[in-house]
Amino acid sequence: MLIARHGVPTSWQHFNLGRLICLPRYVARCRPLVALLHDSAESRLYDTFSYYDGKLSMANSTPSDDPYLIDDSQIADPPTSWLERLKHVGPGLILSASVVGSGELVATTTLGATAGFATLWIILLSCTVKVAIQLEFGRYTIQSGETCMAAMNRLPGGRWGKAHWSIWIVMLLQPIKILQMGGIMGGLAMVMNIWFPAVSIPVWCWTSAIVVAGLVAVRKYWFVERVCFVFLGLFTLLTIASVALLQWTEFAIEWEQIASGLRGTIPAGAIVFIIGTFGLTGVGGDEILHYNYWLIEKGYAARSGPCDPDSAEWQERARGWIGVMYLDAILSMCAYTLVTASFYLLGAAILHSRGEVPKGYALIETLSTIYTESFGTWGKSMFLCGAFVVLFSSLFAALAAWVRMYADAFGQMGFMDFHDVPTRRRVITFLSCFIPACWASAFVFVEQPVIMVIAGGVATSMILLLVVYAAVYFRYRSTLPALRPGVIYDIAFWISTLAIVAVAVYGVCDKLGWLPE
């Protein structure tokens, strides 16, 4: 038994991941028993740590700077007024910033250019139907205080080593997700190349990787939230204005066209784009997993306090913070649904009528047509500014979530101790540099952003099926009786579940040729 430099008694074992990222060869693995804190020249023995459900907690202690530490010192009553609740929203806005870019700017506009107005219903369904699954993960997060990978590690079924098979599947799909983010990074590099053509696209790609890595390495939740809020707000305003001004051009949208997109038809040859778009628009499978970390770092679980099913006070607090989470998720859904539908309508109204579908390096130039037609000759410059905002915000928000999820997964696999703060910080810092390098390398090698993004959407749909499986288990096997939702929620939950499964089955049957012509 040794005393670590932060005062936590530990035992040591070999740490394989450390060889790759220059971490210490050994990390703490046993349960903490006491904390030894140093104050000036004296050392004082503080309160005894307890180990609750896989996480540290400490009674009567000072607040920790670890957002994943759930203890009594952070307990706070939930806000009761709408204004006070609005002050606590934020996790959903980060998700919206991540979705905008891969879903709205690329996949949605491409689907509109390919299918016209006919598949508008897919966009609206995709944005609204997954929210109930997101809410289920959010409720379990507030109830348990567990990270998403720790929660998935509790699912029934086989294991590969220390981790549940679902965790391994999510991680094995990440190479395809790297293609998706590489496509977004390539789009950002194209924007910069149009502004500054003397610098090549690959150079801008690597420059973007360095910049986003430096920002995410800050590791602070408040920084991530504020950056995403500003970026998302800017591009949302630009997109709505573009749709409004389109009505004074030859591409004005008629109500009959919108109605034609709500009839549930699926044009021939559009199924791949539909499956990919369904996975990318709204909250995808990986974004639902990411939502868990933002809820914890925002403090929803910590303010509810350590789970105490027998305490009426804890039950009341938990229900209150779950209500705040509902508001956060619904507001973010309204934001990204509005932006998604706007992009789809622009793509269907302009690009489809011209027979133009974004491909390769022409992606940004083709999409700039939208803003050119809406705003005039200066519209292209405005579009490029907006494209930069949305693509960079998508990279920034996604990377901030990826590094947390990867570190969490490595912890569940037994490669590191996620709840050891110094180790987690070093791993996150390393991943903040390594993952963008993978994104940039993928784009430089493939150079087909639309195909890369759509491929990532298919992988996201596969992750979404795992998320649905986990959500059903959480709803009916893990939710405490005092926190169970009502009948209306259950109806929405099963509509979401069946819709997600139906889209996945339809895509498989179409590829196997089992559907009638």
Side-chain angles (χ1 to χ4, degrees):
M1 185 75 66
L2 299 173
I3 300 295
R5 61 177 177 151
H6 289 279
V8 180
T10 62
S11 62
W12 302 87
Q13 70 176 31
H14 186 66
F15 181 41
N16 293 330
L17 190 60
R19 183 176 302 173
L20 295 176
I21 59 178
C22 298
L23 295 179
R25 294 178 54 122
Y26 302 96
V27 293
R29 295 289 299 177
C30 71
R31 297 180 178 182
L33 301 175
V34 296
L36 189 63
L37 302 179
H38 185 74
D39 185 10
S40 299
E42 297 183 294
S43 295
R44 295 183 294 132
L45 188 65
Y46 270 65
D47 304 285
T48 301
F49 280 93
S50 65
Y51 196 84
Y52 173 76
D53 205 19
K55 298 171 294 298
L56 292 173
S57 63
M58 186 172 69
N60 303 319
S61 66
T62 57
S64 169
D65 62 349
D66 179 11
Y68 297 91
L69 177 66
I70 310 298
D71 59 39
D72 293 337
S73 68
Q74 304 177 68
I75 289 176
D77 290 332
T80 55
S81 68
W82 280 96
L83 183 59
E84 288 298 318
R85 288 186 176 187
L86 285 174
K87 295 179 181 179
H88 291 278
V89 302
L93 298 178
I94 300 177
L95 250 63
S96 297
S98 177
V99 169
V100 174
S102 59
E104 280 75 352
L105 181 59
V106 180
T108 300
T109 311
T110 301
L111 179 60
T114 303
F117 290 91
T119 53
L120 175 61
W121 68 276
I122 288 287
I123 301 300
L124 299 179
L125 178 69
S126 176
C127 288
T128 57
V129 78
K130 307 172 202 169
V131 176
I133 305 298
Q134 176 187 348
L135 295 179
E136 188 57 44
F137 263 75
R139 180 170 49 251
Y140 182 81
T141 298
I142 296 173
Q143 171 186 304
S144 67
E146 290 183 334
T147 60
C148 71
M149 291 299 167
M152 294 183 72
N153 218 10
R154 292 182 177 275
L155 296 174
R159 294 174 177 273
W160 301 338
K162 295 183 178 180
H164 188 265
W165 61 265
S166 60
I167 297 176
W168 286 100
I169 294 298
V170 170
M171 298 306 292
L172 289 173
L173 287 171
Q174 292 308 300
I176 305 178
K177 295 293 296 180
I178 288 174
L179 287 177
Q180 173 192 343
M181 300 311 300
I184 298 173
M185 182 168 285
L188 181 62
M190 293 178 200
V191 172
M192 300 306 298
N193 178 256
I194 293 173
W195 274 335
F196 306 98
V199 181
S200 67
I201 289 177
V203 171
W204 278 122
C205 198
W206 285 105
T207 302
S208 302
I210 294 172
V211 173
V212 73
L215 291 175
V216 171
V218 174
R219 299 189 307 262
K220 298 296 184 181
Y221 170 83
W222 64 267
F223 180 74
V224 175
E225 180 185 285
R226 292 175 187 178
V227 171
C228 290
F229 177 77
V230 172
F231 279 3
L232 180 63
L234 285 174
F235 200 72
T236 299
L237 291 176
L238 287 171
T239 307
I240 294 174
S242 180
V243 173
L245 293 178
L246 190 66
Q247 298 306 103
W248 281 270
T249 70
E250 60 180 302
F251 300 104
I253 301 172
E254 305 291 338
W255 285 110
E256 291 78 8
Q257 293 174 308
I258 296 178
S260 68
L262 303 177
R263 295 169 183 165
T265 59
I266 299 179
I271 187 62
V272 175
F273 284 105
I274 289 174
I275 298 298
T277 303
F278 187 85
L280 288 168
T281 52
V283 285
D286 45 353
E287 279 103 9
I288 292 175
L289 297 179
H290 299 164
Y291 191 56
N292 164 276
Y293 301 103
W294 305 132
L295 289 175
I296 292 176
E297 295 198 19
K298 183 69 172 180
Y300 287 18
R303 293 186 177 99
S304 298
C307 182
D308 186 0
D310 298 325
S311 169
E313 291 81 5
W314 176 83
Q315 294 176 12
E316 187 67 22
R317 285 195 307 272
R319 282 194 292 264
W321 286 109
I322 289 173
V324 176
M325 182 267 295
Y326 278 18
L327 176 63
D328 176 78
I330 291 173
L331 288 178
S332 67
M333 180 197 70
C334 293
Y336 60 67
T337 300
L338 183 61
V339 174
T340 305
S342 297
F343 268 111
Y344 181 86
L345 293 175
L346 288 169
I350 301 175
L351 298 180
H352 183 72
S353 64
R354 292 186 170 189
E356 298 179 6
V357 179
K359 293 181 181 179
Y361 280 118
L363 169 67
I364 301 300
E365 287 285 357
T366 304
L367 292 179
S368 68
T369 304
I370 295 175
Y371 280 76
T372 301
E373 297 298 337
S374 297
F375 296 111
T377 56
W378 52 275
K380 181 176 181 179
S381 297
M382 178 171 287
F383 169 77
L384 293 176
C385 291
F388 174 84
V389 171
V390 69
L391 292 171
F392 187 84
S393 67
S394 184
L395 290 173
F396 174 77
L399 180 61
W402 278 40
V403 296
R404 289 159 170 82
M405 187 184 76
Y406 276 42
D408 189 13
F410 292 153
Q412 297 304 315
M413 293 174 179
F415 299 149
M416 59 171 283
D417 183 359
F418 181 79
H419 291 285
D420 179 73
V421 177
T423 298
R424 183 174 72 236
R425 288 175 176 172
R426 287 192 291 267
V427 171
I428 286 177
T429 300
F430 167 75
L431 292 173
S432 298
C433 300
F434 179 74
I435 293 176
C438 293
W439 294 347
S441 299
F443 177 76
V444 171
F445 180 76
V446 179
E447 296 185 349
Q448 294 293 330
V450 173
I451 295 176
M452 295 169 72
V453 169
I454 295 299
V458 175
T460 301
S461 297
M462 297 173 67
I463 295 175
L464 189 58
L465 292 176
L466 291 177
V467 168
V468 168
Y469 162 67
V472 172
Y473 180 83
F474 294 154
R475 169 64 187 88
Y476 294 100
R477 294 294 182 181
S478 300
T479 301
L480 296 174
L483 302 182
R484 287 174 182 166
V487 175
I488 295 178
Y489 170 86
D490 278 340
I491 293 174
F493 178 81
W494 279 107
I495 290 175
S496 299
T497 299
L498 294 176
I500 292 169
V501 173
V503 171
V505 171
Y506 185 93
V508 172
C509 292
D510 180 75
K511 284 301 178 185
L512 295 177
W514 293 350
L515 297 177
E517 296 294 336

mmCIF file of all heavy atoms in Angstrom, residues 211-237:
data_model
loop_
_atom_site.group_PDB
_atom_site.id
_atom_site.type_symbol
_atom_site.label_atom_id
_atom_site.label_comp_id
_atom_site.label_asym_id
_atom_site.label_seq_id
_atom_site.Cartn_x
_atom_site.Cartn_y
_atom_site.Cartn_z
ATOM 1 N N VAL A 211 -5.612 23.585 -34.025
ATOM 2 C CA VAL A 211 -6.389 24.598 -33.316
ATOM 3 C C VAL A 211 -7.457 23.961 -32.435
ATOM 4 O O VAL A 211 -7.605 24.302 -31.250
ATOM 5 C CB VAL A 211 -7.024 25.582 -34.310
ATOM 6 C CG1 VAL A 211 -7.978 26.529 -33.591
ATOM 7 C CG2 VAL A 211 -5.943 26.379 -35.030
ATOM 8 N N VAL A 212 -8.236 23.020 -32.997
ATOM 9 C CA VAL A 212 -9.308 22.411 -32.216
ATOM 10 C C VAL A 212 -8.741 21.579 -31.070
ATOM 11 O O VAL A 212 -9.310 21.531 -29.968
ATOM 12 C CB VAL A 212 -10.241 21.570 -33.128
ATOM 13 C CG1 VAL A 212 -9.580 20.276 -33.566
ATOM 14 C CG2 VAL A 212 -11.560 21.275 -32.428
ATOM 15 N N ALA A 213 -7.577 20.955 -31.279
ATOM 16 C CA ALA A 213 -6.934 20.196 -30.212
ATOM 17 C C ALA A 213 -6.537 21.113 -29.065
ATOM 18 O O ALA A 213 -6.740 20.778 -27.887
ATOM 19 C CB ALA A 213 -5.710 19.461 -30.754
ATOM 20 N N GLY A 214 -5.985 22.280 -29.391
ATOM 21 C CA GLY A 214 -5.575 23.203 -28.341
ATOM 22 C C GLY A 214 -6.743 23.715 -27.519
ATOM 23 O O GLY A 214 -6.637 23.871 -26.297
ATOM 24 N N LEU A 215 -7.898 23.941 -28.173
ATOM 25 C CA LEU A 215 -9.067 24.432 -27.448
ATOM 26 C C LEU A 215 -9.672 23.362 -26.546
ATOM 27 O O LEU A 215 -10.026 23.617 -25.398
ATOM 28 C CB LEU A 215 -10.117 24.938 -28.436
ATOM 29 C CG LEU A 215 -9.752 26.212 -29.201
ATOM 30 C CD1 LEU A 215 -10.822 26.530 -30.239
ATOM 31 C CD2 LEU A 215 -9.579 27.388 -28.251
ATOM 32 N N VAL A 216 -9.785 22.144 -27.052
ATOM 33 C CA VAL A 216 -10.409 21.072 -26.275
ATOM 34 C C VAL A 216 -9.521 20.658 -25.108
ATOM 35 O O VAL A 216 -10.014 20.221 -24.061
ATOM 36 C CB VAL A 216 -10.732 19.867 -27.181
ATOM 37 C CG1 VAL A 216 -11.167 18.661 -26.363
ATOM 38 C CG2 VAL A 216 -11.821 20.247 -28.171
ATOM 39 N N ALA A 217 -8.226 20.810 -25.249
ATOM 40 C CA ALA A 217 -7.308 20.441 -24.171
ATOM 41 C C ALA A 217 -7.538 21.271 -22.919
ATOM 42 O O ALA A 217 -7.058 20.908 -21.836
ATOM 43 C CB ALA A 217 -5.862 20.584 -24.636
ATOM 44 N N VAL A 218 -8.285 22.384 -23.025
ATOM 45 C CA VAL A 218 -8.612 23.196 -21.849
ATOM 46 C C VAL A 218 -9.400 22.377 -20.829
ATOM 47 O O VAL A 218 -9.259 22.551 -19.629
ATOM 48 C CB VAL A 218 -9.410 24.455 -22.270
ATOM 49 C CG1 VAL A 218 -9.883 25.227 -21.053
ATOM 50 C CG2 VAL A 218 -8.552 25.343 -23.155
ATOM 51 N N ARG A 219 -10.284 21.481 -21.321
ATOM 52 C CA ARG A 219 -10.983 20.492 -20.505
ATOM 53 C C ARG A 219 -12.082 21.069 -19.613
ATOM 54 O O ARG A 219 -12.660 20.355 -18.812
ATOM 55 C CB ARG A 219 -10.014 19.693 -19.623
ATOM 56 C CG ARG A 219 -8.965 18.893 -20.328
ATOM 57 C CD ARG A 219 -8.221 17.998 -19.341
ATOM 58 N NE ARG A 219 -7.691 18.732 -18.222
ATOM 59 C CZ ARG A 219 -6.444 19.156 -18.114
ATOM 60 N NH1 ARG A 219 -5.598 18.920 -19.097
ATOM 61 N NH2 ARG A 219 -6.027 19.813 -17.064
ATOM 62 N N LYS A 220 -12.397 22.339 -19.712
ATOM 63 C CA LYS A 220 -13.384 22.946 -18.828
ATOM 64 C C LYS A 220 -14.766 22.930 -19.473
ATOM 65 O O LYS A 220 -14.943 23.363 -20.612
ATOM 66 C CB LYS A 220 -12.997 24.386 -18.495
ATOM 67 C CG LYS A 220 -11.669 24.512 -17.742
ATOM 68 C CD LYS A 220 -11.740 23.837 -16.374
ATOM 69 C CE LYS A 220 -10.454 24.062 -15.590
ATOM 70 N NZ LYS A 220 -10.492 23.403 -14.266
ATOM 71 N N TYR A 221 -15.771 22.465 -18.716
ATOM 72 C CA TYR A 221 -17.124 22.385 -19.253
ATOM 73 C C TYR A 221 -17.649 23.754 -19.642
ATOM 74 O O TYR A 221 -18.231 23.920 -20.722
ATOM 75 C CB TYR A 221 -18.075 21.751 -18.233
ATOM 76 C CG TYR A 221 -19.516 21.879 -18.656
ATOM 77 C CD1 TYR A 221 -20.074 20.969 -19.541
ATOM 78 C CD2 TYR A 221 -20.313 22.950 -18.223
ATOM 79 C CE1 TYR A 221 -21.389 21.104 -19.974
ATOM 80 C CE2 TYR A 221 -21.615 23.095 -18.648
ATOM 81 C CZ TYR A 221 -22.153 22.166 -19.519
ATOM 82 O OH TYR A 221 -23.441 22.308 -19.949
ATOM 83 N N TRP A 222 -17.486 24.761 -18.779
ATOM 84 C CA TRP A 222 -18.056 26.075 -19.052
ATOM 85 C C TRP A 222 -17.508 26.656 -20.351
ATOM 86 O O TRP A 222 -18.229 27.335 -21.084
ATOM 87 C CB TRP A 222 -17.799 27.030 -17.895
ATOM 88 C CG TRP A 222 -16.346 27.335 -17.647
ATOM 89 C CD1 TRP A 222 -15.506 26.703 -16.782
ATOM 90 C CD2 TRP A 222 -15.559 28.340 -18.303
ATOM 91 N NE1 TRP A 222 -14.249 27.241 -16.846
ATOM 92 C CE2 TRP A 222 -14.248 28.257 -17.762
ATOM 93 C CE3 TRP A 222 -15.825 29.300 -19.276
ATOM 94 C CZ2 TRP A 222 -13.216 29.098 -18.179
ATOM 95 C CZ3 TRP A 222 -14.798 30.134 -19.685
ATOM 96 C CH2 TRP A 222 -13.515 30.034 -19.138
ATOM 97 N N PHE A 223 -16.243 26.375 -20.652
ATOM 98 C CA PHE A 223 -15.641 26.872 -21.888
ATOM 99 C C PHE A 223 -16.293 26.212 -23.097
ATOM 100 O O PHE A 223 -16.635 26.878 -24.080
ATOM 101 C CB PHE A 223 -14.143 26.592 -21.861
ATOM 102 C CG PHE A 223 -13.409 27.062 -23.085
ATOM 103 C CD1 PHE A 223 -13.172 28.406 -23.290
ATOM 104 C CD2 PHE A 223 -12.956 26.160 -24.037
ATOM 105 C CE1 PHE A 223 -12.496 28.852 -24.424
ATOM 106 C CE2 PHE A 223 -12.282 26.583 -25.167
ATOM 107 C CZ PHE A 223 -12.052 27.935 -25.357
ATOM 108 N N VAL A 224 -16.491 24.901 -23.026
ATOM 109 C CA VAL A 224 -17.136 24.171 -24.120
ATOM 110 C C VAL A 224 -18.549 24.693 -24.345
ATOM 111 O O VAL A 224 -18.968 24.954 -25.483
ATOM 112 C CB VAL A 224 -17.158 22.657 -23.815
ATOM 113 C CG1 VAL A 224 -17.926 21.901 -24.894
ATOM 114 C CG2 VAL A 224 -15.745 22.104 -23.690
ATOM 115 N N GLU A 225 -19.296 24.879 -23.274
ATOM 116 C CA GLU A 225 -20.685 25.310 -23.388
ATOM 117 C C GLU A 225 -20.797 26.693 -24.021
ATOM 118 O O GLU A 225 -21.621 26.922 -24.916
ATOM 119 C CB GLU A 225 -21.337 25.309 -22.002
ATOM 120 C CG GLU A 225 -22.795 25.738 -22.023
ATOM 121 C CD GLU A 225 -23.382 25.848 -20.635
ATOM 122 O OE1 GLU A 225 -23.662 24.788 -20.027
ATOM 123 O OE2 GLU A 225 -23.553 26.992 -20.145
ATOM 124 N N ARG A 226 -19.969 27.625 -23.594
ATOM 125 C CA ARG A 226 -20.082 28.997 -24.087
ATOM 126 C C ARG A 226 -19.657 29.108 -25.547
ATOM 127 O O ARG A 226 -20.284 29.835 -26.332
ATOM 128 C CB ARG A 226 -19.255 29.933 -23.205
ATOM 129 C CG ARG A 226 -19.846 30.063 -21.801
ATOM 130 C CD ARG A 226 -18.981 30.885 -20.881
ATOM 131 N NE ARG A 226 -19.498 30.837 -19.511
ATOM 132 C CZ ARG A 226 -18.913 31.441 -18.479
ATOM 133 N NH1 ARG A 226 -17.801 32.140 -18.660
ATOM 134 N NH2 ARG A 226 -19.447 31.338 -17.280
ATOM 135 N N VAL A 227 -18.610 28.404 -25.908
ATOM 136 C CA VAL A 227 -18.178 28.432 -27.305
ATOM 137 C C VAL A 227 -19.262 27.849 -28.212
ATOM 138 O O VAL A 227 -19.597 28.413 -29.259
ATOM 139 C CB VAL A 227 -16.856 27.665 -27.485
ATOM 140 C CG1 VAL A 227 -16.521 27.493 -28.964
ATOM 141 C CG2 VAL A 227 -15.712 28.403 -26.782
ATOM 142 N N CYS A 228 -19.823 26.726 -27.810
ATOM 143 C CA CYS A 228 -20.871 26.087 -28.618
ATOM 144 C C CYS A 228 -22.116 26.963 -28.713
ATOM 145 O O CYS A 228 -22.763 27.032 -29.768
ATOM 146 C CB CYS A 228 -21.227 24.725 -28.026
ATOM 147 S SG CYS A 228 -19.940 23.475 -28.200
ATOM 148 N N PHE A 229 -22.458 27.627 -27.623
ATOM 149 C CA PHE A 229 -23.647 28.488 -27.629
ATOM 150 C C PHE A 229 -23.486 29.632 -28.630
ATOM 151 O O PHE A 229 -24.395 29.928 -29.409
ATOM 152 C CB PHE A 229 -23.886 29.036 -26.230
ATOM 153 C CG PHE A 229 -25.046 29.992 -26.151
ATOM 154 C CD1 PHE A 229 -26.355 29.517 -26.161
ATOM 155 C CD2 PHE A 229 -24.841 31.365 -26.077
ATOM 156 C CE1 PHE A 229 -27.430 30.394 -26.103
ATOM 157 C CE2 PHE A 229 -25.903 32.246 -26.025
ATOM 158 C CZ PHE A 229 -27.197 31.760 -26.032
ATOM 159 N N VAL A 230 -22.335 30.268 -28.626
ATOM 160 C CA VAL A 230 -22.098 31.385 -29.542
ATOM 161 C C VAL A 230 -22.106 30.913 -30.992
ATOM 162 O O VAL A 230 -22.776 31.497 -31.856
ATOM 163 C CB VAL A 230 -20.760 32.073 -29.205
ATOM 164 C CG1 VAL A 230 -20.407 33.103 -30.275
ATOM 165 C CG2 VAL A 230 -20.837 32.744 -27.836
ATOM 166 N N PHE A 231 -21.387 29.839 -31.286
ATOM 167 C CA PHE A 231 -21.315 29.340 -32.651
ATOM 168 C C PHE A 231 -22.675 28.894 -33.163
ATOM 169 O O PHE A 231 -23.070 29.202 -34.289
ATOM 170 C CB PHE A 231 -20.323 28.181 -32.735
ATOM 171 C CG PHE A 231 -18.890 28.619 -32.827
ATOM 172 C CD1 PHE A 231 -18.536 29.945 -32.773
ATOM 173 C CD2 PHE A 231 -17.873 27.688 -32.964
ATOM 174 C CE1 PHE A 231 -17.222 30.355 -32.852
ATOM 175 C CE2 PHE A 231 -16.548 28.074 -33.055
ATOM 176 C CZ PHE A 231 -16.223 29.425 -33.005
ATOM 177 N N LEU A 232 -23.401 28.158 -32.342
ATOM 178 C CA LEU A 232 -24.708 27.657 -32.761
ATOM 179 C C LEU A 232 -25.679 28.809 -33.010
ATOM 180 O O LEU A 232 -26.429 28.804 -33.994
ATOM 181 C CB LEU A 232 -25.274 26.713 -31.711
ATOM 182 C CG LEU A 232 -26.650 26.104 -32.010
ATOM 183 C CD1 LEU A 232 -26.589 25.229 -33.249
ATOM 184 C CD2 LEU A 232 -27.142 25.303 -30.802
ATOM 185 N N GLY A 233 -25.660 29.807 -32.145
ATOM 186 C CA GLY A 233 -26.545 30.944 -32.316
ATOM 187 C C GLY A 233 -26.263 31.706 -33.607
ATOM 188 O O GLY A 233 -27.192 32.086 -34.329
ATOM 189 N N LEU A 234 -25.002 31.910 -33.911
ATOM 190 C CA LEU A 234 -24.632 32.645 -35.120
ATOM 191 C C LEU A 234 -25.137 31.938 -36.373
ATOM 192 O O LEU A 234 -25.776 32.558 -37.246
ATOM 193 C CB LEU A 234 -23.106 32.803 -35.188
ATOM 194 C CG LEU A 234 -22.472 33.826 -34.253
ATOM 195 C CD1 LEU A 234 -20.957 33.738 -34.341
ATOM 196 C CD2 LEU A 234 -22.953 35.228 -34.580
ATOM 197 N N PHE A 235 -24.877 30.646 -36.468
ATOM 198 C CA PHE A 235 -25.246 29.974 -37.713
ATOM 199 C C PHE A 235 -26.742 29.727 -37.807
ATOM 200 O O PHE A 235 -27.303 29.701 -38.902
ATOM 201 C CB PHE A 235 -24.483 28.661 -37.863
ATOM 202 C CG PHE A 235 -24.440 28.190 -39.285
ATOM 203 C CD1 PHE A 235 -23.650 28.856 -40.203
ATOM 204 C CD2 PHE A 235 -25.214 27.135 -39.725
ATOM 205 C CE1 PHE A 235 -23.611 28.452 -41.519
ATOM 206 C CE2 PHE A 235 -25.191 26.733 -41.043
ATOM 207 C CZ PHE A 235 -24.387 27.393 -41.945
ATOM 208 N N THR A 236 -27.413 29.563 -36.691
ATOM 209 C CA THR A 236 -28.866 29.410 -36.720
ATOM 210 C C THR A 236 -29.525 30.659 -37.289
ATOM 211 O O THR A 236 -30.431 30.585 -38.135
ATOM 212 C CB THR A 236 -29.398 29.129 -35.308
ATOM 213 O OG1 THR A 236 -28.827 27.920 -34.813
ATOM 214 C CG2 THR A 236 -30.913 29.001 -35.315
ATOM 215 N N LEU A 237 -29.072 31.815 -36.848
ATOM 216 C CA LEU A 237 -29.632 33.070 -37.364
ATOM 217 C C LEU A 237 -29.382 33.208 -38.864
ATOM 218 O O LEU A 237 -30.265 33.633 -39.616
ATOM 219 C CB LEU A 237 -29.022 34.252 -36.607
ATOM 220 C CG LEU A 237 -29.433 34.383 -35.136
ATOM 221 C CD1 LEU A 237 -28.675 35.528 -34.473
ATOM 222 C CD2 LEU A 237 -30.934 34.587 -35.012
#
